[in-house]
Amino acid sequence: MTAEQRFLLLLILVGAVATVLGLVSKRARLLPYPVVLAGAGIAVGLLPGGQFPRIGGTVILLAFVPGLIFEAALTLDLDELRRRILPVGLLASAGVAITVLLIGTLTHVAIGLTWANGMLLGAILAATDPIAVIALLRRLKAPAGLAAILEGESLFNDGTGVAVFSAVLATILSGAPSFGDATIRFLEITLGGTAVGLAVGFAGLALLRFAEDAPLEILATLVIAYGSYLAADLLHLSGIVAVVAAGIVVARYGTRIGRLHGPQLLGFWNLLAFVLNAMLFILVGAALPATALLPVAGLVLIAYLIMLLTRAVPVYALLALAGMRGASIPWAWRHITFWAGLRGALAVALALTVAGATGVDRRVSVVAYGVVLLSLLVQGGLMAPVMRGLKVEVAG
């Protein structure tokens, strides 16, 4: 069997497994679909003989992430987000910075990573994953305000987290890691990505003005989603920040020009997000054979506990600060915000991109991958019981 045939077989297998597991997940409503898919991916990764090709981080970033993030931005409740902008802004900015610093420091002390590699691991694990969080929220009936906080945080801190990752990795590869250099690179990557996203978003609105039917509207939004990512990536800026900015521009102003109302457009993006999610979470589980985690199982568990601890610090501190400034946030929402800080496909993609990179500790990618799997299986698997225990309604 050729490599191309094995890849096609993988896609067929993934599609078939995702369909079957989707039916199972609908019957077992308390077990979120992404968790089931990730578990299936682990099983796929354990198949003997190495018959299935591994999907690299670059493929995940280029093929899956732009479409999923754009769909999430397109369907974001902007009015509710505006009302929750203070907690979202704090979590997506100061929250990411605090998390990176805490994970970097604690992994340096507890695991023995160098300062630079500890900060790199912190950057990989700092941002919650919108792909995982939003997929779960759509199965669980979260209140609109809570959904806005979780979705908004995961979208924006996704961009800032990846920008921090790119900045830290660049300063490591330069051979002279420094905090000042990483900070300058972060600002360049983030501000540049935002500018590219805004430019592509507004240029895309011009395309949408001339779209007279749903197929052209769909094609225009596809161009905006993937075009904004590619344009920023070619300029060595943050493609994810660009996609978020472009998506919000289209969502905010598209309706003003009489577009984005048709059920066909939103139906297409919902279907695309479902297909990409189904394939992606299986591929995430199969990204590395689970047997590779056995030698570092202790480090993975320590890193996961560190990740949980460092999630608690910014969530409770920053949401308390937001509460003092008038943003009413119930305690149950704070607990759910803490527990819903899943790491997912994006973190795996970042981990895979640094595997074998010069100057990067080989344990960083494997430990990060293990932490993501634990996050999906433990936090994702217990998400519905946690919401029920906190008396937040779960879809029946």
Side-chain angles (χ1 to χ4, degrees), residues 194-217:
T194 302
V196 169
L198 293 175
V200 174
F202 282 110
L205 289 177
L207 280 178
L208 286 171
R209 286 181 182 276
F210 296 102
E212 299 295 337
D213 51 29
L216 289 178
E217 200 172 83

Side-chain angles (χ1 to χ4, degrees), residues 146 329-338 386-387 390-392:
L146 174 60
I329 303 172
W331 276 100
W333 291 17
R334 302 184 194 192
H335 299 325
I336 292 172
T337 301
F338 160 70
V386 167
M387 292 183 72
L390 293 170
K391 303 187 186 308
V392 176

Side-chain angles (χ1 to χ4, degrees), residues 79-122:
D79 291 332
E80 188 65 40
L81 176 63
R82 190 179 300 109
R83 288 190 285 270
R84 306 290 175 179
I85 194 62
L86 179 58
V88 169
L90 288 173
L91 290 172
S93 55
V96 169
I98 292 170
T99 302
V100 172
L101 291 173
L102 288 177
I103 291 179
T105 301
L106 293 176
T107 53
H108 170 71
V109 173
I111 297 178
L113 295 177
T114 64
W115 281 106
N117 281 285
M119 295 301 169
L120 184 64
L121 179 60

Side-chain angles (χ1 to χ4, degrees), residues 5-44:
Q5 289 172 326
R6 288 199 299 272
F7 182 73
L8 179 59
L9 178 60
L10 174 64
L11 293 181
I12 294 171
L13 176 64
V14 166
V17 170
T19 302
V20 173
L21 293 179
L23 297 174
V24 172
S25 181
K26 282 185 179 294
R27 294 183 180 275
R29 292 182 180 274
L30 293 184
L31 193 59
Y33 192 39
V35 177
V36 176
L37 294 174
I42 296 173
V44 170

